Amino acid sequence: MTNYLHTTDFHFYCSGIYSGRIHFTEKAIMHAKVDVRRRTQMQGNVLDPNAKYVLPFTKIARQLSSYEAADWTGEKVVLDTGEVYHKHIQYEAEIGGKLEVSQVWALRGDTVLDVVTLNGEVIAFLTPNRYGIELIVKAGYEALTPLTVYDEPLLSKPEYGVNDLGTFLIPMRDGIKLATDVFLPEGIQPGTKLPTILVRTCYDRNGKKEIFMRWANKGYAVVSQDVRGRADSEGELIPFYNERDDGYDTIDWIIAQDWSDGKVGMWGASYLGYVVVAAATSGHPNLLAVVDEVNVGSPFIDTARKGGTLCSWPLLSWTLAQSVGTRTDFDIFGGITVSPEAAVDARPIRDIPQQMIGKTSGPWELWSQHPEYDDFWRNCTFTELGHQVKAPVYVISGWYDGDSPGVSETWRMLTEHDVPNRKIRLGAWEHGPNRARDLQGVAFGEDAVVYDYDVSVLRWFDRFLKEIRNGIDEEPRASYYVVGENRWRTSEDWTPAEAVVTPFYLAGEGRANSSLGDGRLVSAPQADSAPDTFIYNPADPVADSGEREPENMRKHELRSDIVVYTSEPLADRLTVAGELSCVLYAASTGLDTDWVVTLSDVHENGDSIRLSNYIVRAKYRHGLDKPQLLVPGQVEKYDIFLQNIAHTFAAGHRIRFTVTSSSKFVAFPNTNTGNNPYEDTEAVIVQQTICHSTEHPSHILLPVIPNA
């Protein structure tokens, strides 16, 4: 049967909420929307091309004939477009008095657009993402699709419309007023007191208004606010600085409203994730649940001064994008209108905004006035008040999240203070999680993309704001996806409780320069292991991608200013899962310098796939608040954190650990002078020494999962 998709009446669902009918004609995509407030069905009109849906309707419409012509049988289907689908899971339900079994097909190699078939014909398309599944399904066949994840008996149901109360200007303690929207469930009994989910954003609260409103459909008051200095809020954005107090004051305003039952939860991701963690450290007694996704960390850990260095493109792009106006310029943020290469090479660093966007940047200028860790930065470091966290925190991130240092910082804080009901979920995900099953040639399993992502978030709020005993707090504390093994595991803690932290020692005969050298990783320190040296020239920095992605480091590891230590081929597979660290004994002829450490998986063909890395500034080796310049040539000990992973090294593969002194797209190259990095224009070429012996046993610590 051909052209059957043009005669199909599709029902459209967003996060389990019925959102109207979709019909594909030869000339247009028709959408019969649902009235947001009354939940009544409206008449069909051409789909708004500017509608902010994740489901790629235009792509589906363009490829309808390809989906119809495909032979949906076997284990793999290749469309005439070249797209590859793998057989995934099945659903069984009674439809029209007949037991039917559907088949879900998982898209590979691209942003997920999965297909559901019944008897060889397509009945549904779906795209999961962090906010929930967007899905269109042949009317009446919902029970044969992943929509069933929303059928959990104890899950809040979309029983209400949305009553938009409009925008309020809420005063903070210093008089600055923040633009705040309030959405209540329409149809709730008059006088009903409601739990609230609060979102505070720097990206304009109108940008994802329709998404955040969906919690109101499920019985929550939703409050969405622009942080100070952004969009319609008063004041000036000083990143990180005011978020703790402004969060506290906003919660105070919420619990004073006649629709509030006094229970408040917060959701946030990326910078918004920093915002919710900062609010948690305020200790507000009415903040009872936090969902924290891919959160930015404190400035000296993850952002402005990552590892004490001066962060280059990741933070610079964000800061410039915030500095051209009160609304984010995403073309700058995405490196479209400002060249990343030109920006990171411009000098002096303090003047880069003027050179790149033709004006100064308030945050950049302010940061340059605080070159050392002082009370300004201390106020931005959320761990300084970690003892005040009382709310249950659900942390979500992934191995390819560029802000995973912030996630690790958060988890260490929650663990140190034994915050009750903390929970963590870590997947094979990027900063925008749950979008694809393949990344830069690394293939994950079909279930690396999950259908219950937003369901778990809703369960968290249901448990701690509505007090629904749904059991999420009784499940294992940690859930994590092991790349290489390609399956989910659970543990009673993160790092997994069953992990055995195992040292791998650096060794060699003093010629570990590049992957062609003699550097080795061994099981015990070697008494006669000669130190390695390399020359670090700030004018010739390493230029890897700067992203946390499975980049092939093979070409970079041919440089003589990278010392490389590689294990023997593994006799059996080895699974490593948890937080990583290393101990490095090193010296420099400079007064200051940086150390970049990287863990990689070396394949049998020689490809070296990066798993984890981090960068630190030597002067902060005794603590951020205890800067001390180096004594040239003196060996110092460095305890260095690396970003978390869950990875299985295959038999025959090798473990590789490298050390160098630059990564220009992560941090501006250290000039080695010890001068103010924002203003320094001179640079010194230095000799670096990496020691590894029984006296100076440099090593990396890997949490190994026994019998994995």
Side-chain angles (χ1 to χ4, degrees):
M1 180 178 178
T2 59
N3 295 325
Y4 66 88
L5 291 177
H6 282 110
T7 61
T8 300
D9 183 27
F10 288 100
H11 284 185
F12 180 29
Y13 293 85
C14 297
S15 304
I17 302 165
Y18 177 68
S19 302
R21 297 192 304 266
I22 293 289
H23 190 85
F24 297 97
T25 73
E26 295 291 346
K27 295 183 179 180
I29 305 168
M30 304 301 294
H31 183 200
K33 300 175 68 175
V34 171
D35 176 74
V36 172
R37 182 165 185 175
R38 301 300 181 188
R39 302 301 298 161
T40 53
Q41 180 70 64
M42 301 168 68
Q43 295 299 309
N45 288 287
V46 175
L47 180 71
D48 182 356
N50 297 315
K52 298 173 183 177
Y53 296 124
V54 176
L55 197 63
F57 287 105
T58 302
K59 175 182 176 179
I60 294 171
R62 186 175 63 248
Q63 297 185 176
L64 281 180
S65 61
S66 297
Y67 299 119
E68 291 172 333
D71 179 14
W72 297 100
T73 60
E75 298 297 318
K76 182 171 78 171
V77 175
V78 181
L79 303 189
D80 57 19
T81 61
E83 289 183 315
V84 176
Y85 280 86
H86 287 184
K87 191 175 184 179
H88 192 16
I89 58 177
Q90 295 180 328
Y91 290 89
E92 182 179 291
E94 186 175 296
I95 306 293
K98 180 183 177 183
L99 186 64
E100 301 280 12
V101 179
S102 66
Q103 180 62 58
V104 180
W105 299 86
L107 179 63
R108 303 305 307 234
D110 201 351
T111 300
V112 170
L113 173 57
D114 290 350
V115 169
V116 185
T117 61
L118 177 63
N119 301 323
E121 290 190 357
V122 175
I123 62 168
F125 299 90
L126 65 138
T127 295
N129 64 93
R130 67 154 46 109
Y131 304 111
I133 301 172
E134 290 191 7
L135 178 147
I136 55 173
V137 56
K138 183 177 179 179
Y141 289 79
E142 284 85 348
L144 292 173
T145 75
L147 270 179
T148 56
V149 298
Y150 298 100
D151 293 340
E152 185 177 324
L154 295 178
L155 193 68
S156 288
K157 298 298 186 288
E159 300 172 328
Y160 308 99
V162 179
N163 181 9
D164 183 348
L165 297 190
T167 301
F168 300 81
L169 292 176
I170 299 176
M172 300 293 101
R173 64 188 64 183
D174 60 356
I176 294 295
K177 296 177 181 178
L178 305 187
T180 307
D181 291 344
V182 178
F183 309 100
L184 301 182
E186 175 69 18
I188 206 90
Q189 288 294 321
T192 300
K193 302 291 187 179
L194 299 165
T196 302
I197 299 175
L198 168 63
V199 180
R200 306 186 61 248
T201 180
C202 60
Y203 297 120
D204 189 340
R205 72 196 187 286
N206 293 302
K208 290 188 167 55
K209 175 179 178 178
E210 293 82 3
I211 289 172
F212 298 138
M213 283 168 49
R214 295 172 187 168
W215 283 314
N217 291 115
K218 299 174 182 179
Y220 288 92
V222 178
V223 175
S224 180
Q225 181 182 79
D226 293 322
V227 301
R228 63 172 62 204
R230 307 309 299 153
D232 298 316
S233 286
E234 296 178 350
E236 177 186 359
L237 174 67
I238 303 176
F240 315 110
Y241 193 79
N242 295 295
E243 308 304 0
R244 180 185 300 112
D245 290 345
D246 287 353
Y248 193 103
D249 294 351
T250 301
I251 295 172
D252 267 354
W253 181 86
I254 289 171
I255 63 176
Q257 305 309 301
D258 58 9
W259 42 259
S260 171
D261 70 356
K263 298 174 182 177
V264 179
M266 291 188 72
W267 177 92
S270 194
Y271 184 81
L272 286 66
Y274 173 91
V275 166
V276 302
V277 175
T281 65
S282 75
H284 199 296
N286 295 80
L287 180 59
L288 302 180
V290 171
V291 176
D292 163 38
E293 300 184 20
V294 297
N295 74 285
V296 165
S298 298
F300 264 72
I301 302 298
D302 181 40
T303 51
R305 300 296 303 276
K306 184 190 293 282
T309 69
L310 206 166
C311 190
S312 57
W313 182 245
L315 184 77
L316 178 60
S317 62
W318 184 87
T319 307
L320 296 178
Q322 307 297 331
S323 299
V324 294
T326 60
R327 286 173 168 81
T328 305
D329 186 331
F330 287 99
D331 285 342
I332 293 178
F333 198 9
I336 298 172
T337 53
V338 171
S339 163
E341 291 79 6
V344 301
D345 287 340
R347 295 295 183 276
I349 291 171
R350 184 171 187 167
D351 295 341
I352 291 176
Q354 187 71 49
Q355 297 178 47
M356 294 297 112
I357 61 173
K359 61 180 295 186
T360 59
S361 162
W364 200 257
E365 182 64 25
L366 179 61
W367 294 335
S368 72
Q369 296 168 15
H370 296 271
E372 299 295 348
Y373 190 82
D374 55 15
D375 285 343
F376 169 79
W377 294 113
R378 186 170 286 106
N379 186 70
C380 301
T381 302
F382 54 70
T383 52
E384 293 280 350
L385 293 175
H387 61 280
Q388 297 193 159
V389 179
K390 300 297 186 291
V393 181
Y394 183 15
V395 178
I396 308 175
S397 182
W399 317 132
Y400 311 108
D401 169 22
D403 284 313
S404 62
V407 173
S408 290
E409 178 192 17
T410 301
W411 190 253
R412 288 195 300 269
M413 174 185 72
L414 299 176
T415 301
E416 177 185 351
H417 297 287
D418 196 22
V419 175
N421 292 312
R422 63 189 182 274
K423 187 177 184 66
I424 191 166
R425 189 178 196 181
L426 300 164
W429 297 331
E430 303 169 83
H431 194 60
N434 205 39
R435 299 190 314 154
R437 300 179 173 97
D438 304 85
L439 182 62
Q440 292 198 350
V442 178
F444 315 125
E446 320 304 348
D447 62 350
V449 170
V450 299
Y451 295 142
D452 70 340
Y453 191 101
D454 67 311
V455 170
S456 71
V457 170
L458 183 57
R459 290 180 70 214
W460 194 256
F461 288 135
D462 281 352
R463 173 65 187 88
F464 295 107
L465 297 182
K466 292 186 177 181
E467 299 184 16
I468 297 173
R469 298 283 179 176
N470 55 27
I472 192 169
D473 53 326
E474 299 170 5
E475 297 169 357
R477 176 167 284 163
S479 174
Y480 62 97
Y481 192 85
V482 183
V483 175
E485 187 178 67
N486 285 351
R487 74 178 180 96
W488 288 93
R489 287 176 171 267
T490 60
S491 178
E492 293 307 315
D493 208 348
W494 183 258
T495 294
E498 59 273 23
V500 177
V501 177
T502 306
F504 291 78
Y505 293 89
L506 281 57
E509 282 67 57
R511 297 181 300 279
N513 307 76
S514 86
S515 57
L516 304 177
D518 61 17
R520 294 175 286 123
L521 279 181
V522 296
S523 60
Q526 308 292 297
D528 58 349
S529 187
D532 294 296
T533 63
F534 64 92
I535 300 299
Y536 163 48
N537 181 357
D540 183 27
V542 176
D544 57 341
S545 70
E547 300 292 336
R548 191 177 184 199
E549 55 191 15
E551 182 177 1
N552 190 346
M553 301 297 289
R554 187 173 186 170
K555 66 178 181 180
H556 300 296
E557 291 167 355
L558 293 174
R559 294 177 59 123
S560 62
D561 58 356
I562 299 181
V563 287
V564 179
Y565 304 91
T566 310
S567 74
E568 292 296 318
L570 296 170
D572 298 299
R573 69 177 187 173
L574 180 74
T575 296
V576 174
E579 302 289 340
L580 313 182
S581 65
C582 73
V583 176
L584 190 69
Y585 291 90
S588 175
T589 58
L591 294 175
D592 191 20
T593 199
D594 291 343
W595 303 112
V596 181
V597 293
T598 301
L599 176 72
S600 297
D601 180 344
V602 181
H603 295 196
E604 291 171 310
N605 65 359
D607 287 343
S608 180
I609 307 303
R610 181 175 58 204
L611 303 177
S612 177
N613 64 345
Y614 197 58
I615 186 169
V616 295
R617 184 141 294 185
K619 69 186 294 184
Y620 299 111
R621 62 197 179 277
H622 300 306
L624 297 176
D625 56 350
K626 301 180 181 67
Q628 183 179 4
L629 294 179
L630 297 172
V631 175
Q634 180 172 300
V635 177
E636 299 281 358
K637 179 184 178 183
Y638 300 88
D639 292 291
I640 304 175
F641 143 92
L642 282 87
Q643 300 175 92
N644 56 20
I645 64 169
H647 181 83
T648 295
F649 294 84
H653 286 208
R654 293 177 291 162
I655 304 169
R656 176 167 290 170
F657 180 70
T658 67
V659 183
T660 188
S661 288
S662 62
S663 180
K664 68 181 289 187
F665 290 109
V666 172
F668 292 101
N670 196 321
T671 59
N672 305 312
T673 64
N675 297 332
N676 183 339
Y678 288 96
E679 300 176 351
D680 200 7
T681 56
E682 68 170 303
V684 177
I685 298 173
V686 295
Q687 178 175 286
Q688 316 286 55
T689 300
I690 307 300
C691 299
H692 38 78
S693 63
T694 50
E695 181 183 3
H696 297 120
S698 294
H699 58 279
I700 184 168
L701 293 163
L702 302 182
V704 175
I705 306 298
N707 304 316

